[in-house]
Amino acid sequence: MDYIQARRDFLKVATTSATASVFLPGSLGALGEVALKSEDKFIRSICEMCSSRCPMEARVINGKTVLLQGNAFVKEMGTSLCAKGVAGASQLYDPQRLVTPLIRVGKRGENKWKEASWDEALSLIAGKLSALKERYGARSVIFSAKTGEQYDLLCSFASAFGSPNVFSHWSSCPIAIESAFKQTFGEKLHRDFEHATYILNFGHNLFEGLDIPLTKAMAQFSANPSKKLVVLDPRFSIIASKANEWYPIKPGSDLAFVLSLLHVWIRDGKYNKNFVEQYTIGFDKLARSVKETTPQWQQPLTGIDAKVVERLAAEIYEASPKCIIDWGHKATTTKAEYQRSRAILMANILMGNVEKEGGIYFAKTAERVNALAKEEIVPELNNPYPRPLVNEQRIDQAGEMGALRFVSRRHGSLTAIPEAIMTQTPYEIKGWFLTRHNPLVTVANPQKMKEAMEQLEFIVVNDIYLSDTAMMADVILPEVTYLERDEGISTIAFKSPYYAMRNRIVEPLHRNKSAIEIIRDLAERMGLGSHYSWKSVLELRAYQAKGNDVLLETLLKRGAATFDVPPLLALEPTFVEHFCERYPQSRVWLDKQGTFSHLLQKLKTPSGKIEIYCEEVEKLFKGYGVPSSVDMDVKQGFPYVLTSGKSAVHTNGHTQNVPYLNMLLSTNPIWMHPSTAKIHGLKMGDTFYLENGISKEKATVFITEGIRPDTLFAYMGFGHDAPALKRTHGKGINSSKLLSLESATLCGAMITNVGVNIIKI
């Protein structure tokens, strides 16, 4: 099979001295002739091989990157870095990278280009965007990127241009969780895995969807015999293999299981009554909503015995508040995704684990700790990417009205784009500017998305590779890799705040430019330069740091700046006392229990409290003001459910063509239970079709007992249709082609669990 052979090829490359040009970073062969006599230095920066953006450092010898590892100046990192992070050098030196601007000369998608200078390409883009704005209005151009500094940059440019239509990747990943937190707490909270004693996990696979600090904390947790990890996942994933107990729950039924837990706790009075009474509103409505969601009720829905629910409920309550019911990261499984995420938050709330050690907590940002200390103990930053409100209706009406009223106007819902373009409703869309975004792989029904893109007058793609989406562009801009660029200061906050900064590791190898350079140049050409308070990255950093030379010097040398602020949990008297000892003026905030309870009574919610019941939501989405049993069907009448998830060596649709990572995993066979394979007469490695009402796609079978008989699984991001991606073009299945453009109720999340048939070839 292709993926087994690719593994063998990787091992061969890694051990054959004759192929020095592709040696792994850190090996003697990677140094070449400079191994004994060279300039040798370490530079600290931030990784961007995935959206976790872990602090990292690089060893550079004579201008060549030879080693990538974690930044030990960040305690949670040490020198750890995942395979994707280490492979950053493989991407950097990949001969298949884009190295010069390209302008389309054939039909859209025909893959015919001419090379262009930067001046020609940027002049063309500036002229075309300005022409679209004059003819159809600025709102006729949409902008999209993955969240992070590049997204903030793009949002700011779109705002200066005058378009409200900016889209992040949120709706294809964490939007349900983000929406649930917004409606419940007013902002997102973090998990204290390190100090918890009990974790209930709904398929949050931190050993494949890697975030090094969280992954290390989970690894230590799962290896501790005094702690307990329970995993509910249709697939025997790596996180499931580390669990004390694994239950192969039916796909899409997490909500039913959590509702039954809530029922048991409320029925038996085993919840933190003091916390609920003091900090929340709407408990009575939750109690009524889960009155009938008994363990027996959930059993046929989840496939989990009612006795298991009763036992786990008792164990979690006994462990509280040092327990976490984990909401995960990627939340795009069913139409009820918002309700699932909210129900999980309710479970944590009832256990009273908010702002408690081993529970969940608010980010202690510079602004928050400074307000508590009543002095500036951590320098605060300027925002270098202003985004004044554009007083225009969005094409998806996100944050405004209709089905997406509660979706963030800042992020939007990607699945609404094709219909808006094809119907020209609510108005004409004529252009699209994308940076490092590949919706023809990562968004549902790319067939329809491609059809919509064919109707546009002008498309710009800024990327490292000539991707599937770049194939549809009029102009492709070759961006530098993260190892070749400087950026601004990133704000990171857990129990205390710190800053990190991406520093250039090596000079750009080719004619590539960074997104900051591209956008700032375009702004000047289009008469939008006055929108910014800076012209270069150096000026951007100085403006952002408010001229704080000490902070900038620290970030340049260490890649991260910490401030020796005691970690803070507002409802833990010991933590609060340590904070008050360091900053005596903060004692003014103390309550009778020696805590900062006021932080939980002035939240960014309509009531200022934790909202178990959301009145605003209920008015517009009846039955959604409080968690309830709705929209859990994922089969849609088909016999099987296709699920998808992340691989430890790939990031969505971004890394499949990176040489080292492609050698580790070059395709994505479909996981299938032996009994299911037998029914359809399939053997290991056979090809077959997955079919539903949306598409019919060829796949290869991987037979394993580590999955439910009614469930199939594929690693996401494969099935590329981009000839320039020579290693990955045509390899594997793009499961997005089987997904509907229908989104989850209220939150606008793309739905990635889908019903399918199996057809033998």
Side-chain angles (χ1 to χ4, degrees):
M1 296 174 63
D2 287 346
Y3 63 100
I4 295 176
Q5 185 60 48
R7 171 71 175 172
R8 292 170 179 162
D9 290 345
F10 174 77
L11 295 174
K12 182 178 180 180
V13 169
T15 56
T16 304
S17 60
T19 55
S21 62
V22 289
F23 269 102
L24 291 171
S27 68
L28 183 62
L31 305 185
E33 296 179 358
V34 302
L36 300 178
K37 186 166 58 178
S38 61
E39 177 193 14
D40 191 345
K41 60 183 177 181
F42 280 87
I43 300 173
R44 282 93 194 180
S45 187
I46 302 173
C47 183
E48 200 177 24
M49 292 299 286
C50 79
S51 57
S52 295
R53 299 184 176 91
C54 296
M56 47 76 68
E57 69 176 7
R59 186 180 183 187
V60 181
I61 297 180
N62 281 5
K64 184 174 182 180
T65 303
V66 299
L67 172 69
L68 299 177
Q69 63 183 13
N71 183 353
F73 284 111
V74 178
K75 181 184 67 174
E76 295 82 4
M77 286 295 302
T79 57
S80 302
L81 209 61
C82 73
K84 292 174 289 187
V86 172
S90 179
Q91 182 187 71
L92 171 67
Y93 298 115
D94 186 0
Q96 292 184 26
R97 278 180 56 188
L98 290 166
V99 297
T100 190
L102 299 174
I103 295 176
R104 178 171 63 86
V105 294
K107 295 179 181 179
R108 189 179 301 286
E110 195 176 5
N111 200 27
K112 291 184 178 180
W113 314 92
K114 73 168 186 176
E115 294 187 0
S117 68
W118 276 101
D119 183 64
E120 181 184 6
L122 293 176
S123 293
L124 176 60
I125 294 169
K128 288 287 189 180
L129 291 180
S130 296
L132 291 177
K133 180 177 181 178
E134 183 177 352
R135 185 173 181 183
Y136 305 105
R139 66 185 188 178
S140 68
V141 180
I142 59 180
F143 299 82
S144 66
K146 186 169 67 173
T147 53
E149 184 168 5
Q150 288 198 9
Y151 184 65
D152 295 336
L153 171 70
L154 193 65
C155 287
S156 183
F157 178 73
S159 179
F161 180 71
S163 175
N165 295 312
V166 187
F167 294 81
S168 78
H169 79 293
W170 264 24
S171 59
S172 60
C173 193
I175 197 167
I177 294 164
E178 300 286 349
S179 299
F181 268 112
K182 177 69 175 175
Q183 302 304 326
T184 308
F185 291 95
E187 62 184 278
K188 193 173 183 181
L189 276 67
H190 295 290
R191 294 154 290 206
D192 186 12
F193 289 139
E194 182 180 0
H195 299 102
T197 60
Y198 200 113
I199 296 176
L200 178 62
N201 177 294
F202 290 90
H204 183 201
N205 188 6
L206 277 166
F207 297 110
E208 292 191 279
L210 294 154
D211 183 318
I212 295 301
L214 291 178
T215 299
K216 291 177 73 172
M218 179 57 72
Q220 292 165 2
F221 179 96
S222 62
N224 189 329
S226 68
K227 301 186 177 188
K228 185 164 185 176
L229 173 64
V230 177
V231 172
L232 283 71
D233 192 334
R235 180 175 72 103
F236 191 65
S237 61
I238 298 179
I239 188 75
S241 74
K242 309 296 183 186
N244 300 86
E245 299 178 26
W246 166 60
Y247 295 98
I249 190 170
K250 289 183 181 180
S253 66
D254 295 357
L255 173 59
F257 186 88
V258 182
L259 291 176
S260 69
L261 283 179
L262 297 174
H263 169 90
V264 172
W265 288 327
I266 295 173
R267 179 198 69 194
D268 297 344
K270 291 185 175 181
Y271 61 93
N272 192 317
K273 300 178 182 66
N274 290 335
F275 182 87
V276 169
E277 181 178 345
Q278 186 172 355
Y279 300 112
T280 77
I281 62 167
F283 172 77
D284 57 327
K285 292 182 173 60
L286 175 65
R288 286 198 293 271
S289 180
V290 301
K291 188 174 181 180
E292 305 299 329
T293 61
T294 65
Q296 292 74 22
W297 164 83
Q298 66 80 45
Q299 185 167 315
L301 297 173
T302 67
I304 298 175
D305 192 279
K307 294 179 182 178
V308 172
V309 178
E310 297 278 4
R311 177 174 57 81
L312 295 183
E315 291 176 357
I316 295 169
Y317 176 72
E318 183 67 25
S320 66
K322 289 193 171 187
C323 62
I324 297 172
I325 298 87
D326 189 1
W327 50 83
H329 177 69
K330 180 176 177 285
T332 55
T333 56
T334 74
K335 194 173 181 180
E337 199 62 49
Y338 172 80
Q339 289 287 52
R340 168 197 176 274
S341 299
R342 279 262 293 159
I344 289 174
L345 297 188
M346 297 305 109
N348 285 284
I349 291 165
L350 292 193
M351 293 301 96
N353 67 358
V354 181
E355 286 295 319
K356 300 292 286 186
E357 188 173 35
I360 64 178
Y361 60 91
F362 291 89
K364 305 308 182 295
T365 61
E367 293 77 11
R368 184 165 270 152
V369 297
N370 288 345
L372 286 170
K374 299 184 76 67
E375 60 178 293
E376 188 171 275
I377 59 178
V378 176
E380 297 182 19
L381 305 178
N382 282 327
N383 178 14
Y385 303 118
R387 189 182 179 184
L389 179 67
V390 177
N391 191 25
E392 289 271 11
Q393 179 184 343
R394 287 179 56 97
I395 57 170
D396 58 358
Q397 300 181 330
E400 298 167 356
M401 62 185 77
L404 302 180
R405 166 66 180 82
F406 291 103
V407 173
S408 170
R409 197 172 193 268
R410 180 179 173 83
H411 297 277
S413 181
L414 290 164
T415 54
I417 291 177
E419 182 179 0
I421 293 175
M422 296 175 72
T423 64
Q424 301 292 287
T425 304
Y427 47 78
E428 293 176 302
I429 295 296
K430 298 297 182 180
W432 194 346
F433 191 117
L434 306 93
T435 183
R436 298 291 303 283
H437 187 213
N438 192 7
L440 293 188
V441 171
T442 60
V443 178
N445 202 337
Q447 308 92 302
K448 187 67 69 174
M449 185 73 78
K450 188 173 183 179
E451 185 180 347
M453 294 180 81
E454 288 172 347
Q455 296 187 16
L456 297 177
E457 291 186 13
F458 191 63
I459 300 173
V460 180
V461 171
N462 173 48
D463 209 334
I464 294 170
Y465 291 105
L466 208 167
S467 67
D468 313 63
T469 301
M471 288 270 294
M472 300 296 291
D474 294 276
V475 182
I476 302 175
L477 301 176
E479 190 183 22
V480 293
T481 69
Y482 70 97
L483 296 173
E484 302 166 284
R485 67 177 188 257
D486 291 317
E487 288 185 350
I489 304 169
S490 297
T491 299
I492 304 168
F494 295 103
K495 295 175 195 170
S496 57
Y498 76 91
Y499 297 129
M501 189 166 75
R502 176 167 290 123
N503 296 308
R504 179 183 292 173
I505 304 301
V506 295
E507 293 297 316
L509 301 183
H510 308 288
R511 297 173 57 204
N512 306 53
K513 292 181 181 289
S514 70
I516 290 177
E517 293 172 306
I518 292 167
I519 294 297
R520 195 63 184 84
D521 191 324
L522 282 173
E524 290 295 331
R525 292 171 187 262
M526 297 170 66
L528 306 174
S530 61
H531 181 71
Y532 301 94
S533 300
W534 49 272
K535 291 185 178 180
S536 66
V537 175
L538 290 178
E539 290 182 5
L540 181 155
R541 289 173 167 180
Y543 173 77
Q544 194 176 10
K546 300 181 179 180
N548 189 329
D549 293 341
V550 175
L551 174 60
L552 288 174
E553 184 178 359
T554 301
L555 289 166
L556 283 168
K557 288 182 177 179
R558 295 191 168 203
T562 56
F563 305 97
D564 195 30
V565 176
L568 179 61
L569 294 169
L571 298 186
E572 289 285 6
T574 301
F575 283 75
V576 172
E577 180 57 29
H578 288 163
F579 190 88
C580 290
E581 287 175 357
R582 183 73 61 84
Y583 313 110
Q585 293 185 78
S586 64
R587 292 189 182 278
V588 69
W589 304 109
L590 287 175
D591 60 20
K592 293 180 181 179
Q593 288 72 42
T595 65
F596 291 151
S597 59
H598 72 285
L599 288 181
L600 276 72
Q601 295 170 327
K602 296 181 179 180
L603 305 182
K604 300 172 186 175
T605 59
S607 66
K609 289 191 170 187
I610 298 170
E611 298 206 346
I612 292 175
Y613 173 75
C614 298
E615 185 175 357
E616 289 186 358
V617 169
E618 184 65 25
K619 286 179 181 177
L620 296 175
F621 293 87
K622 189 171 179 58
Y624 268 73
V626 69
S628 59
S629 55
V630 293
D631 297 333
M632 288 183 287
D633 175 44
V634 291
K635 284 191 173 183
Q636 301 101 30
F638 291 93
Y640 304 104
V641 178
L642 174 64
T643 64
S644 61
K646 294 184 177 183
S647 155
V649 299
H650 285 300
T651 299
N652 304 332
H654 167 58
T655 59
Q656 283 73 18
N657 201 62
V658 174
Y660 292 160
L661 300 180
N662 181 268
M663 291 176 185
L664 288 172
L665 186 65
S666 61
T667 189
N668 61 339
I670 300 294
W671 289 38
M672 185 184 296
H673 192 272
S675 64
T676 306
K678 184 176 181 179
I679 290 171
H680 294 278
L682 296 174
K683 297 180 180 179
M684 184 73 84
D686 283 354
T687 56
F688 66 101
Y689 285 109
L690 291 176
E691 179 270 338
N692 60 14
I694 298 168
S695 188
K696 181 179 180 181
E697 300 296 324
K698 184 181 288 188
T700 303
V701 65
F702 174 75
I703 300 173
T704 172
E705 293 186 355
I707 196 164
R708 290 179 55 91
D710 60 358
T711 306
L712 308 169
F713 173 84
Y715 284 119
M716 61 191 296
F718 289 87
H720 287 267
D721 184 11
L725 304 180
K726 296 178 182 179
R727 301 179 192 92
T728 195
H729 173 62
K731 301 288 184 66
I733 180 174
N734 180 358
S735 57
S736 295
K737 291 184 175 181
L738 291 155
L739 304 182
S740 166
L741 286 170
E742 181 184 18
S743 62
T745 306
L746 189 140
C747 66
M750 185 175 82
I751 301 171
T752 56
N753 284 2
V754 62
V756 293
N757 278 317
I758 294 172
I759 301 175
K760 185 178 179 181
I761 296 177

PDB file of all heavy atoms in Angstrom, residues 215 313 415:
ATOM      1  N   THR A 215      -0.536  18.915  25.230  1.00  0.00           N
ATOM      2  CA  THR A 215      -0.250  17.506  24.982  1.00  0.00           C
ATOM      3  C   THR A 215       0.660  16.932  26.060  1.00  0.00           C
ATOM      4  O   THR A 215       0.448  15.809  26.537  1.00  0.00           O
ATOM      5  CB  THR A 215       0.390  17.331  23.593  1.00  0.00           C
ATOM      6  OG1 THR A 215      -0.527  17.800  22.590  1.00  0.00           O
ATOM      7  CG2 THR A 215       0.723  15.879  23.313  1.00  0.00           C
ATOM      8  N   ALA A 313     -20.955   9.449  36.687  1.00  0.00           N
ATOM      9  CA  ALA A 313     -21.484  10.662  37.315  1.00  0.00           C
ATOM     10  C   ALA A 313     -21.048  10.736  38.771  1.00  0.00           C
ATOM     11  O   ALA A 313     -20.631  11.804  39.262  1.00  0.00           O
ATOM     12  CB  ALA A 313     -23.010  10.689  37.210  1.00  0.00           C
ATOM     13  N   THR A 415     -19.419  28.186   4.987  1.00  0.00           N
ATOM     14  CA  THR A 415     -20.340  27.404   4.161  1.00  0.00           C
ATOM     15  C   THR A 415     -21.419  28.263   3.509  1.00  0.00           C
ATOM     16  O   THR A 415     -22.133  27.793   2.621  1.00  0.00           O
ATOM     17  CB  THR A 415     -21.007  26.291   4.990  1.00  0.00           C
ATOM     18  OG1 THR A 415     -21.620  26.869   6.148  1.00  0.00           O
ATOM     19  CG2 THR A 415     -19.986  25.251   5.434  1.00  0.00           C
TER      20      THR A 415
END
